[in-house]
Amino acid sequence: MENLRIPGPTPCPPEVLQAMARQMVNHRGVEFIGILNEVTDKLKQLFQTRNDVFLLTASGTGGLEAAIVNTLSPGDKVLSVSNGVFGERFATIAQRFGAEVIPLRFEWGKAAEAEAIRPALRANPEIKAVLVTHNETSTGVTNDLAAISSVVKEFDKLLLVDAISSLGSINLPVDEWRCDVAVSGSQKGWMVPPGLAMVSVSQAAWQAQAKARMPRFYWDFTQARNYLERGQTPWTPAVSIVFALSVSLEMLLKEGLANIIARHARVARAAREGVKSLGLSLFAEENYASNTVTAVSSSNGLDSKKLLRILEEKHHMILGEGQQKLDGKIFRIGHLGWVTVADIKTVISALKTALPQAGFTGS
Ligand SMILES: *Cc1c(COP(=O)(O)O)cnc(C)c1O
């Protein structure tokens, strides 16, 4: 079996995979209604929210699009706080649907600065919403969402959060940090295959939704709410992934959110200390280094593409490449979901063997 250590899709426990082997049921029948209600309840616990939570049949990006089209109208100004590939994607979606995007960009590998958001919001009082990526998977940086939120809420703006690779793995109390829409995706920390996005929707987001005029059909939160009142989704959901999620959420809640968060912190520490012990350096500003993905710079002669090829061929281990302008400049170790410190130690020992074969000359 391959050792899959990319930041999604992540490996799934056998019980979760088995849950998907079962026969189809009526997605509007009593049994599935029970499962959907239970899954929704459990997700609310892990989102630390009393807001509405919906399952959408989509990858994470569908959830981001849903956040935009349900809260905004063409011509609305939005502030895009971005420090990587996924921050740029969120902004592009808003722009594509006609929002006027005001970019606030930070160097890739660095964290977004909450204090820089204040002058941007002061200069543009018409800004309606702020787009933020909690955990920028492309660079391995976790932004200080609590600090960002308090600035955004000083100005009473909507806070739309890409939490795709943080929710369920890194602490993100959605209500305490006043996230109006928070989005996650099943194939990240949730230990299930791709196919479902999860979104939470606040009261303020509902108020915005009532006035928002961007075109929407499949993603319409009103439809999602009306159907969920009857324990259903408006459109046929990815039934098998819901079965899987039902099992994984039970496992996650049994472990407990505090323990899950602590485990990800331990695993990430093992990853960071491990790569540094090999003479490699972290790409991310260390104070903001992510607990779900570690980005490593290709330094000292290292050909990271060759490294990933050797790891795959000789060690059956798959790590992540750098994306877009980071292609060839970094590689990434995904450590979210079903992962232990022992899994990371295996990665570090494979790296130790493979690094010299990929040109790395040490520090
Ligand atoms: C994975 C990821 C996405 C994209 O999700 P898809 O499921 O591929 O659509 C968006 N944002 C972040 C932060 C991610 O980690």
Side-chain angles (χ1 to χ4, degrees), residues 40 43-56 63-64 66-68 70-71 158-163 167 172-185 190 197-206 221 228:
T40 304
L43 280 173
K44 286 184 188 180
Q45 292 177 50
L46 294 168
F47 273 54
Q48 304 178 65
T49 190
R50 300 170 72 121
N51 289 339
D52 291 302
V53 170
F54 303 120
L55 281 181
L56 310 174
L64 298 179
I68 299 285
N70 277 281
T71 57
L158 282 178
L159 178 60
L160 309 183
V161 182
D162 174 347
L167 264 169
L172 199 188
V174 163
D175 288 358
E176 192 187 326
W177 293 354
R178 292 179 286 177
C179 303
D180 293 300
V181 181
V183 180
S184 193
W190 304 97
M198 306 88 162
V199 295
S200 67
V201 183
S202 75
Q203 274 315 308
W206 280 118
F221 287 163
L228 193 60

Side-chain angles (χ1 to χ4, degrees), residues 45 57 72 125 129 131 140 174 197 268 283-284 292 294 320 340 342 350 361 363:
Q45 292 177 50
T57 295
L72 298 167
L131 314 182
V174 163
F283 179 70
T292 57
T294 294
T340 63
T361 55
S363 50

Side-chain angles (χ1 to χ4, degrees), residues 24-317:
M24 284 301 103
V25 296
N26 175 10
H27 65 298
R28 311 214 180 272
V30 180
E31 189 194 1
F32 196 78
I33 287 173
I35 295 173
L36 191 66
N37 284 332
E38 200 183 293
V39 161
T40 304
D41 248 33
K42 288 177 173 157
L43 280 173
K44 286 184 188 180
Q45 292 177 50
L46 294 168
F47 273 54
Q48 304 178 65
T49 190
R50 300 170 72 121
N51 289 339
D52 291 302
V53 170
F54 303 120
L55 281 181
L56 310 174
T57 295
S59 74
T61 305
L64 298 179
E65 184 170 310
I68 299 285
V69 299
N70 277 281
T71 57
L72 298 167
S73 300
D76 279 351
K77 287 189 176 156
V78 302
L79 183 70
S80 150
V81 177
S82 162
N83 53 344
V85 169
F86 293 107
E88 291 303 305
R89 182 183 297 180
F90 206 2
T92 302
I93 297 168
Q95 195 166 39
R96 205 60 65 81
F97 281 92
E100 189 182 320
V101 175
I102 298 161
L104 180 61
R105 294 192 171 97
F106 297 88
E107 194 184 325
W108 290 18
K110 299 277 192 290
E113 287 160 36
E115 287 309 309
I117 295 171
R118 189 176 287 110
L121 290 177
R122 205 171 270 144
N124 290 283
E126 286 163 20
I127 286 170
K128 193 146 176 239
V130 180
L131 314 182
V132 180
T133 310
H134 181 210
N135 187 74
E136 184 43 87
T137 317
S138 65
T139 62
V141 167
T142 304
N143 289 314
D144 184 350
L145 186 59
I148 291 170
S149 165
S150 58
V151 174
V152 170
K153 292 304 174 182
E154 258 174 51
F155 292 82
D156 208 22
K157 306 301 181 188
L158 282 178
L159 178 60
L160 309 183
V161 182
D162 174 347
I164 292 175
S165 62
S166 57
L167 264 169
S169 312
I170 296 174
N171 190 37
L172 199 188
V174 163
D175 288 358
E176 192 187 326
W177 293 354
R178 292 179 286 177
C179 303
D180 293 300
V181 181
V183 180
S184 193
S186 58
Q187 81 278 22
K188 303 287 171 114
W190 304 97
M191 313 192 298
V192 300
L196 291 173
M198 306 88 162
V199 295
S200 67
V201 183
S202 75
Q203 274 315 308
W206 280 118
Q207 284 162 15
Q209 205 257 2
K211 296 186 199 134
R213 290 292 163 258
M214 281 185 182
R216 56 181 187 251
F217 181 81
Y218 195 75
W219 303 136
D220 195 333
F221 287 163
T222 307
Q223 294 275 22
R225 180 172 59 187
N226 290 345
Y227 276 85
L228 193 60
E229 278 166 11
R230 293 173 265 149
Q232 296 180 32
T233 52
W235 334 114
T236 311
V239 170
S240 304
I241 315 288
V242 179
F243 289 156
L245 185 60
S246 160
V247 171
S248 77
L249 289 173
E250 201 166 306
M251 293 171 71
L252 290 169
L253 286 172
K254 196 163 159 213
E255 182 178 2
L257 182 57
N259 292 329
I260 296 166
I261 292 167
R263 173 168 54 84
H264 282 85
R266 273 198 308 278
V267 164
R269 204 175 314 123
R272 292 193 287 267
E273 283 169 7
V275 296
K276 287 195 287 183
S277 76
L278 298 172
L280 291 163
S281 46
L282 302 176
F283 179 70
E285 182 177 1
E286 190 153 359
N287 289 340
Y288 295 92
S290 166
N291 283 346
T292 57
V293 54
T294 294
V296 184
S297 299
S298 310
S299 56
N300 300 84
L302 174 62
D303 177 344
S304 58
K305 285 181 182 287
K306 188 169 177 192
L307 175 72
L308 298 197
R309 214 158 49 234
I310 294 168
L311 289 171
E312 178 162 5
E313 284 164 11
K314 305 247 174 72
H315 302 267
H316 310 290
M317 182 177 291

